[in-house]
Amino acid sequence: MEGTVFAPALEGLNSVKSAEGEMLTKQFLDVCKHILPVIDKFGAAMALVKSDIGGNITRLESKYETNPSRFNCLYSLVQVEVETKTAKSSSSCTNGLLWLTRAMDFLVALFRNLLEHPDWSMSQACTDSYNKTLKKWHGWLASSSFTLAMKLAPDRKKFMEVIAGTGNIDADIEKFCTNFSPLLEENHKFLARFGLDDLKAS
């Protein structure tokens, strides 16, 4: 593989914003999709996270495809639900965007841990990221199944070798975290404006 597994996501990040600085639906979802192969390399430990992310991408994409010009900007999917008072429904696009953003927060925190704590085991890096990001939004059930899954985390050294391909993995992780974090931050701020950033898992 040319470069690292992050290469497609890094390339996608260049076109996430429109000329006016608005987040574009398809391009944002594509970047999230490009992260799925990275999650794949975790194997069983991340199966839950992967199906969650995949499901939320599909939900947002399906809505986008009903009217690509109307939903060209990511936040238009939320605005229409805020207006129709359906944003808080568990099957809403708003909910999908919120959980997709949270899952990506978790991954960014995890990648950062791998960079900043070379002595940590993979499950240590995962658990720390989980505690910092998703844990407070999860109920007991989600939390315990997550904790269980983390015990299946792969060997760190093997994992890093697999995702490195032929590129400089540390540089790509750094670049990905630095460029992707502000977009996630923007999603949170946007959702918070409508009081939709602190919904918990049912």
Side-chain angles (χ1 to χ4, degrees), residues 125-146:
C126 289
T127 304
D128 178 78
S129 323
Y130 178 70
N131 291 343
K132 278 196 278 209
T133 55
L134 287 169
K135 191 175 184 179
K136 62 173 173 286
W137 306 116
H138 275 168
W140 179 81
L141 194 67
S143 204
S144 32
S145 47
F146 200 92

Side-chain angles (χ1 to χ4, degrees), residues 1-8 11 163-168 172:
M1 183 177 72
E2 264 310 289
T4 70
V5 281
F6 284 95
E11 198 168 312
I163 63 172
T166 59
N168 178 343
D172 277 9

